[in-house]
Amino acid sequence: DTAVSQTPKYLVTQMGNDKSIKCEQNLGHDTMYWYKQDSKKFLKIMFSYNNKELIINETVPNRFSPKSPDKAHLNLHINSLELGDSAVYFCASSQEVIQGNSGNTIYFGEGSWLTVV
Amino acid sequence: GDSVTQMEGPVTLSEEAFLTINCTYTATGYPSLFWYVQYPGEGLQLLLKATKADDKGSNKGFEATYRKETTSFHLEKGSVQVSDSAVYFCALGRNEKLTFGTGTRLTIIP
C-alpha cells in the first residue's frame, strides 16, 4: 500500500482554470505538507498542517488554498492557474512536526506533475 | 535563516567509481540532516539521516556523517552502480519543516 498517495499524477490544464490535487496518507501521521519543485528541481515548502491546523504558510499566493478535512488528508486547490504554476507538487507527511534533532522523517508522495498551457 | 548548499552537478562517474557529494548547512541550534534521492520520473525517497553530531547515517552502501564542526553532511559511496543514477538532495530538519539543497544530478555510465 502506498503510504502517501496523491492524485492526479499528471495534469495539463489551461491558464485561468481552477484545479485540485488530492493527498492522503495512511501512516497515522499528524503532520502533512505541500512542497513545490520547480523546473530546476528546487524544492520549497508551501504549507504544513498539524492535526488539521495550518502551521506554515510560506508566502504562497492566495490563489493556493490547502484544505485538511481530517489529519489523513491535505488537498491543494489552485485558482486562476498561471503559466508559472507549472511544477511538480509533492505531498508529504511526518509523525510530528519537524523539530531540531528529533529525527522525525518526512515521507513524500510520488508527486503531481502540473503543466499549465 | 536555515540554508543548505550542495555541490553543483551534474556529476558523471563510471561504474564502480567512488562517489562524494558535498553538502554544508547553515542553521542555528541542532537540526537533523537527511539525504533524499529522486529517481527519474519518481518522487522523493529518504536515503539516510542523522540526528546529532558524529552520527553516521547509512543505507544501500551510501554513508554520511553529521559533522558539526564543519557543518557538513557529505554523501559517499565506495562503488557506484548504474542504478544509482538519480538526483540527490541534502536537507536539514528544523523549525517544523525540511529545507532542501538544490539537488545534485548523478549519472553513472557503464
Side-chain angles (χ1 to χ4, degrees), chain A residues 21-111:
Chain A
I21 307 172
K22 296 185 177 181
C23 178
E24 175 181 7
Q25 54 94 3
N26 63 6
L27 297 167
H29 288 170
D30 289 341
T31 308
M32 295 186 73
Y33 311 80
W34 278 106
Y35 276 80
K36 179 180 179 180
Q37 185 177 45
D38 64 22
S39 59
K40 296 183 178 178
K41 296 288 192 182
F42 186 64
L43 278 154
K44 188 169 167 52
I45 191 166
M46 300 173 68
F47 302 102
S48 72
Y49 273 68
N50 186 54
N51 279 319
K52 304 192 297 175
E53 298 294 324
L54 177 69
I55 56 173
I56 290 180
N57 179 345
E58 287 277 312
T59 60
V60 177
N62 58 15
R63 296 182 297 103
F64 291 79
S65 51
K67 285 191 172 45
S68 183
D70 55 62
K71 70 176 190 177
H73 295 83
L74 181 61
N75 304 322
L76 183 65
H77 188 74
I78 315 171
N79 289 326
S80 303
L81 278 156
E82 301 177 357
L83 293 176
D85 297 331
S86 296
V88 184
Y89 292 86
F90 286 101
C91 179
S93 73
S94 61
Q95 181 62 55
E96 299 169 340
V97 295
I98 300 296
Q99 296 288 3
N101 59 2
S102 67
N104 279 319
T105 298
I106 293 184
Y107 296 88
F108 285 82
E110 294 189 341

Coordinates of all heavy atoms in Angstrom, one line a residue, chain A residues 21-111:
Chain A
I21 N -5.5 19.1 -6.3 CA -4.7 17.9 -6.2 C -5.0 17.4 -4.8 O -5.0 18.1 -3.8 CB -3.2 18.2 -6.2 CG1 -2.8 19.0 -7.5 CG2 -2.4 16.9 -6.2 CD1 -1.4 19.5 -7.6
K22 N -5.3 16.1 -4.8 CA -5.7 15.4 -3.5 C -4.5 14.6 -2.9 O -3.7 14.1 -3.7 CB -6.9 14.5 -3.7 CG -8.1 15.2 -4.2 CD -9.3 14.3 -4.2 CE -10.6 15.1 -4.6 NZ -11.8 14.2 -4.7
C23 N -4.5 14.5 -1.6 CA -3.4 13.8 -1.0 C -4.0 13.1 0.3 O -4.8 13.7 1.1 CB -2.3 14.7 -0.5 SG -1.0 13.9 0.3
E24 N -3.6 11.8 0.4 CA -4.0 11.0 1.6 C -2.8 10.3 2.1 O -2.0 9.8 1.3 CB -5.1 10.1 1.1 CG -5.5 9.1 2.2 CD -6.5 8.1 1.8 OE1 -6.9 8.1 0.6 OE2 -7.0 7.3 2.6
Q25 N -2.7 10.2 3.4 CA -1.6 9.3 4.0 C -2.2 8.3 4.9 O -3.2 8.7 5.7 CB -0.5 10.2 4.7 CG -1.0 11.2 5.7 CD -1.0 10.7 7.1 OE1 -0.6 9.6 7.4 NE2 -1.5 11.5 8.1
N26 N -1.7 7.1 4.9 CA -2.2 6.0 5.7 C -1.2 5.6 6.8 O -1.2 4.5 7.2 CB -2.7 4.8 4.9 CG -1.5 4.2 4.1 OD1 -0.4 4.6 4.3 ND2 -1.8 3.2 3.2
L27 N -0.4 6.5 7.2 CA 0.7 6.3 8.1 C 0.3 6.6 9.6 O 1.1 6.4 10.5 CB 2.0 7.0 7.7 CG 2.6 6.6 6.4 CD1 3.6 7.6 6.0 CD2 3.2 5.2 6.5
G28 N -0.9 7.2 9.7 CA -1.3 7.7 11.0 C -0.5 8.9 11.5 O -0.5 9.2 12.7
H29 N 0.1 9.6 10.6 CA 0.9 10.8 10.9 C 0.0 12.0 11.3 O -1.2 12.1 10.8 CB 1.8 11.2 9.8 CG 2.9 10.3 9.6 ND1 3.7 10.3 8.5 CD2 3.4 9.3 10.4 CE1 4.7 9.4 8.6 NE2 4.5 8.7 9.8
D30 N 0.5 12.9 12.1 CA -0.2 14.1 12.5 C 0.1 15.3 11.6 O -0.7 16.3 11.6 CB 0.2 14.5 13.9 CG -0.4 13.5 15.0 OD1 -1.3 12.8 14.6 OD2 0.1 13.5 16.1
T31 N 1.2 15.3 10.9 CA 1.6 16.5 10.1 C 1.7 16.2 8.7 O 2.2 15.1 8.3 CB 3.0 17.0 10.7 OG1 2.9 17.1 12.1 CG2 3.3 18.3 10.0
M32 N 1.1 17.1 7.8 CA 1.2 16.9 6.4 C 1.7 18.2 5.8 O 1.6 19.3 6.3 CB -0.2 16.6 5.8 CG -0.6 15.2 6.3 SD -2.2 14.6 5.5 CE -1.6 14.2 3.9
Y33 N 2.2 18.1 4.5 CA 2.9 19.2 3.9 C 2.6 19.2 2.4 O 2.3 18.2 1.8 CB 4.5 19.0 4.0 CG 5.0 18.8 5.3 CD1 5.0 17.5 5.9 CD2 5.6 19.8 6.1 CE1 5.5 17.2 7.1 CE2 6.1 19.5 7.4 CZ 6.1 18.2 7.9 OH 6.6 17.9 9.1
W34 N 2.7 20.4 1.8 CA 2.9 20.5 0.4 C 4.2 21.2 0.0 O 4.5 22.2 0.6 CB 1.7 21.3 -0.2 CG 0.5 20.5 -0.4 CD1 -0.7 20.6 0.3 CD2 0.2 19.5 -1.4 NE1 -1.6 19.7 -0.2 CE2 -1.1 19.0 -1.2 CE3 1.0 19.0 -2.5 CZ2 -1.6 18.0 -2.1 CZ3 0.5 18.0 -3.3 CH2 -0.8 17.5 -3.1
Y35 N 4.9 20.6 -0.9 CA 6.2 21.1 -1.4 C 6.0 21.3 -2.9 O 5.3 20.6 -3.6 CB 7.4 20.2 -1.2 CG 8.0 20.3 0.2 CD1 7.4 19.7 1.3 CD2 9.2 21.0 0.4 CE1 8.0 19.8 2.5 CE2 9.8 21.2 1.6 CZ 9.2 20.5 2.7 OH 9.8 20.6 3.9
K36 N 6.7 22.4 -3.4 CA 6.7 22.6 -4.9 C 8.1 22.4 -5.4 O 9.1 22.9 -4.8 CB 6.2 24.1 -5.1 CG 6.2 24.4 -6.6 CD 5.8 25.9 -6.8 CE 5.8 26.3 -8.3 NZ 5.3 27.7 -8.4
Q37 N 8.2 21.7 -6.5 CA 9.5 21.5 -7.1 C 9.5 22.2 -8.5 O 8.7 21.8 -9.4 CB 9.9 20.0 -7.3 CG 11.3 19.8 -7.9 CD 11.6 18.3 -7.9 OE1 10.8 17.5 -8.4 NE2 12.8 18.0 -7.5
D38 N 10.4 23.2 -8.7 CA 10.3 23.9 -10.0 C 11.1 23.2 -11.0 O 11.6 22.1 -10.8 CB 10.8 25.4 -9.8 CG 12.3 25.4 -9.3 OD1 13.0 24.5 -9.6 OD2 12.6 26.5 -8.7
S39 N 11.2 23.8 -12.2 CA 11.8 23.2 -13.4 C 13.3 22.9 -13.2 O 13.9 22.1 -13.8 CB 11.6 24.1 -14.6 OG 12.2 25.3 -14.4
K40 N 13.9 23.6 -12.2 CA 15.3 23.4 -11.9 C 15.5 22.4 -10.7 O 16.6 22.3 -10.2 CB 16.0 24.7 -11.6 CG 16.1 25.7 -12.7 CD 16.8 26.9 -12.4 CE 16.9 27.8 -13.6 NZ 17.6 29.1 -13.4
K41 N 14.4 21.7 -10.4 CA 14.4 20.7 -9.3 C 14.5 21.3 -7.9 O 14.7 20.5 -7.0 CB 15.6 19.7 -9.5 CG 15.5 18.9 -10.8 CD 14.4 17.9 -10.7 CE 14.5 16.9 -11.8 NZ 13.4 15.9 -11.7
F42 N 14.4 22.6 -7.8 CA 14.5 23.2 -6.4 C 13.2 22.9 -5.7 O 12.1 23.2 -6.2 CB 14.8 24.7 -6.5 CG 15.0 25.3 -5.2 CD1 16.1 25.0 -4.4 CD2 14.1 26.2 -4.7 CE1 16.3 25.5 -3.2 CE2 14.3 26.8 -3.5 CZ 15.4 26.5 -2.7
L43 N 13.3 22.4 -4.5 CA 12.2 22.1 -3.6 C 12.0 23.1 -2.6 O 12.9 23.4 -1.8 CB 12.4 20.8 -2.9 CG 12.2 19.5 -3.7 CD1 13.0 18.4 -3.2 CD2 10.7 19.1 -3.7
K44 N 10.7 23.6 -2.4 CA 10.4 24.6 -1.4 C 9.1 24.3 -0.8 O 8.1 23.9 -1.4 CB 10.4 26.0 -2.1 CG 10.3 27.1 -1.1 CD 10.5 28.4 -1.8 CE 10.1 29.6 -0.9 NZ 10.7 29.6 0.5
I45 N 9.0 24.4 0.5 CA 7.8 24.2 1.2 C 6.8 25.2 0.9 O 7.1 26.4 0.7 CB 8.0 24.1 2.8 CG1 6.8 23.5 3.4 CG2 8.5 25.4 3.3 CD1 7.0 23.1 4.9
M46 N 5.5 24.8 0.8 CA 4.4 25.8 0.6 C 3.6 25.9 1.9 O 3.4 26.9 2.4 CB 3.5 25.3 -0.5 CG 4.2 25.1 -1.9 SD 3.2 24.4 -3.1 CE 1.9 25.7 -3.3
F47 N 3.1 24.7 2.4 CA 2.3 24.7 3.5 C 2.6 23.5 4.4 O 3.1 22.5 3.9 CB 0.8 24.5 3.1 CG 0.2 25.6 2.2 CD1 0.1 25.3 0.9 CD2 -0.1 26.8 2.7 CE1 -0.4 26.3 0.0 CE2 -0.6 27.8 1.9 CZ -0.8 27.5 0.5
S48 N 2.3 23.6 5.7 CA 2.2 22.4 6.5 C 1.1 22.5 7.5 O 0.7 23.6 7.9 CB 3.5 22.2 7.3 OG 3.7 23.1 8.3
Y49 N 0.5 21.4 7.8 CA -0.6 21.3 8.7 C -0.3 20.3 9.8 O 0.3 19.2 9.5 CB -1.9 20.8 8.0 CG -2.7 21.9 7.3 CD1 -2.2 22.6 6.3 CD2 -4.0 22.2 7.8 CE1 -3.0 23.6 5.7 CE2 -4.7 23.2 7.3 CZ -4.2 23.9 6.2 OH -5.0 24.9 5.6
N50 N -0.7 20.6 11.0 CA -0.6 19.6 12.1 C -2.0 19.4 12.7 O -2.6 20.4 13.2 CB 0.4 20.1 13.1 CG 0.7 19.1 14.2 OD1 1.0 17.9 13.9 ND2 0.5 19.4 15.5
N51 N -2.4 18.2 12.7 CA -3.8 17.9 13.2 C -4.8 18.9 12.6 O -5.6 19.5 13.4 CB -3.8 17.9 14.7 CG -3.3 16.7 15.3 OD1 -3.6 15.6 14.9 ND2 -2.5 16.8 16.4
K52 N -4.8 19.0 11.4 CA -5.7 19.9 10.6 C -5.5 21.4 10.8 O -6.3 22.1 10.2 CB -7.2 19.5 10.9 CG -7.5 18.0 10.7 CD -9.0 17.8 10.8 CE -9.6 18.2 12.1 NZ -11.1 18.1 12.1
E53 N -4.5 21.8 11.6 CA -4.3 23.2 11.8 C -3.1 23.7 10.9 O -2.1 23.0 10.9 CB -4.0 23.5 13.2 CG -5.2 23.1 14.2 CD -6.4 24.0 13.9 OE1 -6.2 25.2 13.6 OE2 -7.5 23.5 14.0
L54 N -3.3 24.8 10.3 CA -2.2 25.4 9.5 C -1.1 25.8 10.4 O -1.3 26.6 11.3 CB -2.7 26.5 8.6 CG -1.7 27.3 7.8 CD1 -1.2 26.4 6.6 CD2 -2.3 28.6 7.2
I55 N 0.2 25.4 10.1 CA 1.3 25.9 10.9 C 2.3 26.6 10.1 O 3.1 27.4 10.6 CB 1.9 24.8 11.8 CG1 2.4 23.6 10.9 CG2 1.0 24.3 12.8 CD1 3.2 22.5 11.7
I56 N 2.4 26.3 8.8 CA 3.3 27.0 7.9 C 2.6 27.4 6.6 O 1.9 26.6 6.0 CB 4.6 26.2 7.5 CG1 5.5 25.9 8.8 CG2 5.3 26.8 6.4 CD1 6.7 25.1 8.4
N57 N 2.8 28.7 6.3 CA 2.3 29.2 5.0 C 3.5 30.1 4.5 O 3.7 31.2 5.0 CB 1.0 30.0 5.2 CG 0.5 30.5 3.8 OD1 1.3 30.6 2.8 ND2 -0.7 31.0 3.8
E58 N 4.2 29.5 3.5 CA 5.4 30.2 3.1 C 5.2 31.2 2.0 O 5.5 31.0 0.9 CB 6.5 29.2 2.7 CG 7.1 28.4 3.8 CD 8.2 29.1 4.5 OE1 9.1 29.7 3.8 OE2 8.2 29.2 5.7
T59 N 4.5 32.3 2.3 CA 4.3 33.4 1.4 C 3.8 32.9 0.0 O 4.4 33.3 -1.0 CB 5.5 34.3 1.2 OG1 6.6 33.5 0.7 CG2 5.9 34.9 2.5
V60 N 2.9 31.9 0.0 CA 2.4 31.4 -1.2 C 1.2 32.3 -1.6 O 0.4 32.8 -0.8 CB 1.9 30.0 -1.0 CG1 1.2 29.4 -2.2 CG2 3.0 29.1 -0.5
P61 N 1.0 32.6 -2.9 CA -0.1 33.4 -3.4 C -1.4 32.8 -2.9 O -1.6 31.6 -2.8 CB 0.0 33.3 -4.9 CG 1.4 33.0 -5.2 CD 1.9 32.2 -4.1
N62 N -2.4 33.7 -2.6 CA -3.6 33.2 -2.0 C -4.5 32.5 -3.1 O -5.6 32.1 -2.7 CB -4.4 34.3 -1.3 CG -4.7 35.5 -2.2 OD1 -4.6 35.4 -3.4 ND2 -5.0 36.6 -1.6
R63 N -4.0 32.4 -4.3 CA -4.7 31.5 -5.3 C -4.6 30.1 -4.8 O -5.3 29.2 -5.3 CB -4.1 31.7 -6.7 CG -4.3 33.1 -7.2 CD -3.7 33.2 -8.7 NE -2.3 32.9 -8.7 CZ -1.7 31.8 -9.1 NH1 -2.5 30.8 -9.5 NH2 -0.4 31.7 -9.2
F64 N -3.6 29.8 -4.0 CA -3.4 28.4 -3.5 C -4.0 28.3 -2.1 O -3.7 29.0 -1.2 CB -1.9 28.1 -3.3 CG -1.1 28.0 -4.6 CD1 -0.7 29.2 -5.3 CD2 -0.8 26.8 -5.2 CE1 0.0 29.1 -6.5 CE2 -0.1 26.7 -6.3 CZ 0.3 27.9 -7.0
S65 N -5.0 27.3 -2.0 CA -5.7 27.2 -0.8 C -5.6 25.7 -0.4 O -6.2 24.8 -1.0 CB -7.1 27.7 -0.9 OG -7.8 27.1 -2.0
P66 N -4.9 25.4 0.7 CA -4.9 24.0 1.2 C -6.2 23.8 2.0 O -6.7 24.7 2.7 CB -3.6 23.9 2.0 CG -3.5 25.3 2.5 CD -4.0 26.2 1.5
K67 N -6.6 22.5 2.0 CA -7.7 22.2 2.9 C -7.5 20.8 3.5 O -7.1 19.8 2.8 CB -9.0 22.1 2.1 CG -9.5 23.5 1.8 CD -10.9 23.5 1.2 CE -11.5 24.9 1.1 NZ -10.6 25.9 0.5
S68 N -7.6 20.7 4.8 CA -7.4 19.5 5.5 C -8.7 19.0 6.2 O -8.9 19.4 7.4 CB -6.2 19.6 6.5 OG -5.9 18.4 7.2
P69 N -9.5 18.2 5.6 CA -10.7 17.7 6.2 C -10.5 16.9 7.4 O -11.4 16.8 8.3 CB -11.4 17.0 5.1 CG -10.3 16.6 4.1 CD -9.3 17.6 4.2
D70 N -9.4 16.2 7.4 CA -9.0 15.4 8.6 C -7.5 15.2 8.5 O -6.9 15.5 7.5 CB -9.7 14.0 8.7 CG -9.5 13.2 7.4 OD1 -8.4 12.9 7.1 OD2 -10.5 13.0 6.7
K71 N -6.9 14.6 9.6 CA -5.4 14.7 9.6 C -4.8 13.7 8.6 O -3.6 13.7 8.4 CB -4.9 14.5 11.0 CG -5.1 13.1 11.6 CD -4.4 13.0 13.0 CE -4.3 11.6 13.5 NZ -3.7 11.5 14.8
A72 N -5.6 12.9 7.9 CA -5.1 11.9 6.9 C -5.1 12.5 5.5 O -4.6 11.9 4.6 CB -5.8 10.6 7.0
H73 N -5.7 13.7 5.4 CA -5.9 14.3 4.1 C -5.5 15.7 4.1 O -5.8 16.5 5.0 CB -7.4 14.2 3.6 CG -7.9 12.8 3.4 ND1 -8.3 12.0 4.5 CD2 -8.0 12.1 2.3 CE1 -8.7 10.9 4.0 NE2 -8.5 10.8 2.7
L74 N -4.8 16.1 3.0 CA -4.4 17.5 2.8 C -4.5 17.8 1.3 O -3.6 17.3 0.5 CB -3.0 17.9 3.3 CG -2.6 19.3 3.1 CD1 -3.6 20.2 3.9 CD2 -1.2 19.6 3.6
N75 N -5.5 18.5 0.9 CA -5.8 18.7 -0.5 C -5.3 20.1 -0.9 O -5.3 21.0 0.0 CB -7.2 18.6 -0.9 CG -7.8 17.2 -0.5 OD1 -7.1 16.2 -0.7 ND2 -9.0 17.1 0.0
L76 N -4.9 20.3 -2.1 CA -4.4 21.6 -2.6 C -5.3 22.1 -3.7 O -5.4 21.4 -4.8 CB -3.0 21.5 -3.0 CG -2.3 22.8 -3.5 CD1 -2.1 23.8 -2.3 CD2 -0.9 22.5 -4.1
H77 N -5.9 23.2 -3.5 CA -6.7 23.8 -4.6 C -6.0 25.1 -5.1 O -5.5 25.9 -4.3 CB -8.1 24.2 -4.0 CG -9.1 24.6 -5.1 ND1 -9.7 23.7 -6.0 CD2 -9.5 25.8 -5.5 CE1 -10.4 24.4 -6.8 NE2 -10.4 25.6 -6.5
I78 N -6.0 25.2 -6.4 CA -5.4 26.3 -7.1 C -6.4 27.0 -8.0 O -6.9 26.4 -8.9 CB -4.1 25.9 -7.9 CG1 -3.3 24.9 -7.1 CG2 -3.3 27.1 -8.3 CD1 -2.2 24.2 -8.0
N79 N -6.6 28.3 -7.7 CA -7.5 29.1 -8.5 C -6.7 29.9 -9.6 O -5.5 30.2 -9.4 CB -8.2 30.1 -7.7 CG -9.2 29.5 -6.8 OD1 -9.9 28.5 -7.1 ND2 -9.4 30.0 -5.6
S80 N -7.4 30.1 -10.7 CA -6.8 31.0 -11.7 C -5.4 30.7 -12.1 O -4.5 31.5 -12.0 CB -6.9 32.5 -11.3 OG -8.2 32.8 -11.0
L81 N -5.2 29.5 -12.5 CA -3.9 29.0 -12.8 C -3.1 29.8 -13.8 O -3.6 30.4 -14.7 CB -3.9 27.5 -13.3 CG -4.1 26.5 -12.2 CD1 -4.8 25.2 -12.8 CD2 -2.8 26.2 -11.6
E82 N -1.8 30.0 -13.5 CA -0.9 30.8 -14.3 C 0.2 29.9 -14.8 O 0.5 28.8 -14.3 CB -0.3 31.9 -13.5 CG -1.3 32.9 -12.9 CD -0.7 33.9 -12.0 OE1 0.6 33.9 -11.8 OE2 -1.4 34.8 -11.5
L83 N 0.9 30.3 -15.9 CA 1.9 29.6 -16.5 C 3.0 29.2 -15.5 O 3.6 28.1 -15.5 CB 2.6 30.3 -17.7 CG 1.7 30.5 -18.9 CD1 2.4 31.4 -19.9 CD2 1.3 29.2 -19.5
G84 N 3.3 30.1 -14.6 CA 4.4 29.9 -13.6 C 4.0 28.9 -12.5 O 4.9 28.5 -11.7
D85 N 2.8 28.5 -12.5 CA 2.4 27.4 -11.6 C 2.8 26.0 -12.0 O 2.7 25.1 -11.3 CB 0.9 27.4 -11.4 CG 0.4 28.7 -10.8 OD1 1.2 29.4 -10.0 OD2 -0.8 29.1 -11.0
S86 N 3.3 25.9 -13.3 CA 3.7 24.6 -13.8 C 4.9 24.2 -12.9 O 5.9 24.8 -12.8 CB 4.2 24.8 -15.3 OG 3.1 25.1 -16.1
A87 N 4.8 23.0 -12.4 CA 5.8 22.4 -11.5 C 5.3 21.0 -11.1 O 4.3 20.6 -11.5 CB 5.9 23.3 -10.2
V88 N 6.2 20.4 -10.2 CA 5.8 19.2 -9.6 C 5.4 19.5 -8.1 O 6.2 20.1 -7.4 CB 6.9 18.1 -9.6 CG1 6.4 16.8 -9.1 CG2 7.4 17.9 -11.1
Y89 N 4.3 19.1 -7.7 CA 3.8 19.3 -6.4 C 3.8 18.0 -5.6 O 3.3 17.0 -6.0 CB 2.4 19.9 -6.4 CG 2.3 21.3 -7.0 CD1 2.2 21.4 -8.4 CD2 2.4 22.4 -6.2 CE1 2.2 22.7 -8.9 CE2 2.5 23.7 -6.8 CZ 2.4 23.8 -8.1 OH 2.4 25.1 -8.7
F90 N 4.6 18.1 -4.5 CA 4.7 16.9 -3.6 C 4.0 17.1 -2.3 O 4.1 18.1 -1.6 CB 6.2 16.7 -3.3 CG 7.0 16.1 -4.4 CD1 7.8 16.9 -5.2 CD2 6.9 14.8 -4.7 CE1 8.6 16.4 -6.2 CE2 7.7 14.2 -5.8 CZ 8.5 15.1 -6.5
C91 N 3.1 16.1 -2.0 CA 2.5 16.0 -0.7 C 3.5 15.1 0.2 O 4.2 14.3 -0.3 CB 1.2 15.3 -0.8 SG 0.3 15.1 0.7
A92 N 3.4 15.4 1.5 CA 4.3 14.6 2.4 C 3.7 14.6 3.8 O 2.8 15.4 4.1 CB 5.7 15.3 2.5
S93 N 4.2 13.7 4.6 CA 3.7 13.7 6.0 C 4.8 13.2 6.9 O 5.8 12.6 6.5 CB 2.5 12.7 6.1 OG 3.0 11.3 6.0
S94 N 4.6 13.5 8.2 CA 5.6 13.1 9.2 C 4.8 12.9 10.5 O 3.7 13.4 10.7 CB 6.7 14.1 9.5 OG 6.1 15.4 9.9
Q95 N 5.3 12.0 11.4 CA 4.6 11.7 12.6 C 4.3 12.9 13.4 O 3.2 13.1 13.9 CB 5.5 10.7 13.5 CG 4.8 10.3 14.7 CD 3.5 9.5 14.5 OE1 3.6 8.5 13.8 NE2 2.4 10.0 15.1
E96 N 5.3 13.8 13.6 CA 5.1 15.1 14.3 C 5.7 16.2 13.5 O 6.4 15.9 12.5 CB 5.8 15.0 15.7 CG 5.2 13.8 16.6 CD 6.1 13.6 17.8 OE1 7.3 14.0 17.8 OE2 5.6 13.0 18.8
V97 N 5.6 17.4 14.0 CA 6.3 18.5 13.3 C 7.8 18.3 13.5 O 8.2 17.7 14.4 CB 5.9 19.9 13.9 CG1 4.4 20.1 13.6 CG2 6.2 19.9 15.4
I98 N 8.5 18.8 12.5 CA 10.0 18.6 12.5 C 10.6 19.6 13.5 O 10.4 20.8 13.4 CB 10.5 18.9 11.1 CG1 9.9 18.0 10.0 CG2 12.0 18.8 11.0 CD1 10.2 16.5 10.2
Q99 N 11.3 19.0 14.4 CA 11.9 19.9 15.4 C 13.4 19.4 15.6 O 13.6 18.3 16.0 CB 11.2 19.8 16.8 CG 9.8 20.3 16.8 CD 9.7 21.8 16.7 OE1 10.7 22.5 16.6 NE2 8.5 22.3 16.8
G100 N 14.3 20.3 15.3 CA 15.7 20.1 15.5 C 16.1 18.7 15.4 O 15.9 18.1 14.3
N101 N 16.8 18.1 16.4 CA 17.3 16.8 16.2 C 16.4 15.7 16.7 O 16.8 14.6 17.1 CB 18.7 16.7 17.0 CG 18.5 17.0 18.5 OD1 17.4 17.3 18.9 ND2 19.6 17.0 19.2
S102 N 15.1 15.9 16.5 CA 14.1 14.9 16.8 C 14.2 13.7 15.8 O 13.8 12.6 16.2 CB 12.7 15.4 16.7 OG 12.4 15.8 15.4
G103 N 14.7 14.0 14.6 CA 14.9 12.9 13.6 C 13.6 12.5 13.0 O 13.6 11.5 12.2
N104 N 12.5 13.2 13.2 CA 11.3 12.9 12.5 C 11.5 12.9 11.0 O 12.1 13.8 10.5 CB 10.2 13.9 12.9 CG 9.5 13.6 14.2 OD1 9.3 12.4 14.5 ND2 9.3 14.6 15.0
T105 N 11.1 11.9 10.3 CA 11.3 11.8 8.9 C 10.0 12.2 8.2 O 8.9 11.9 8.6 CB 11.6 10.3 8.6 OG1 12.8 10.0 9.2 CG2 11.8 10.1 7.1
I106 N 10.2 12.9 7.1 CA 9.1 13.3 6.2 C 9.0 12.3 5.1 O 10.1 12.0 4.4 CB 9.3 14.7 5.7 CG1 9.1 15.7 6.8 CG2 8.2 15.0 4.6 CD1 9.2 17.2 6.3
Y107 N 7.9 11.7 4.8 CA 7.6 10.8 3.8 C 6.9 11.5 2.7 O 5.8 12.1 2.9 CB 6.9 9.6 4.3 CG 7.6 8.8 5.3 CD1 7.5 9.1 6.7 CD2 8.4 7.7 4.9 CE1 8.2 8.4 7.6 CE2 9.1 7.0 5.9 CZ 9.0 7.3 7.2 OH 9.8 6.6 8.2
F108 N 7.4 11.3 1.4 CA 6.8 12.0 0.3 C 5.9 11.1 -0.6 O 6.2 9.9 -0.7 CB 7.9 12.6 -0.6 CG 8.6 13.8 0.1 CD1 9.6 13.7 1.0 CD2 8.2 15.1 -0.3 CE1 10.2 14.8 1.6 CE2 8.8 16.2 0.3 CZ 9.8 16.1 1.2
G109 N 4.9 11.7 -1.2 CA 4.2 11.1 -2.2 C 5.0 11.1 -3.5 O 6.1 11.6 -3.6
E110 N 4.4 10.6 -4.6 CA 5.1 10.4 -5.8 C 5.1 11.7 -6.7 O 5.7 11.7 -7.7 CB 4.6 9.2 -6.6 CG 4.8 7.9 -5.9 CD 4.5 6.7 -6.8 OE1 3.7 6.9 -7.7 OE2 5.0 5.6 -6.5
G111 N 4.4 12.7 -6.3 CA 4.4 13.9 -7.0 C 3.2 14.0 -8.0 O 2.7 13.0 -8.5

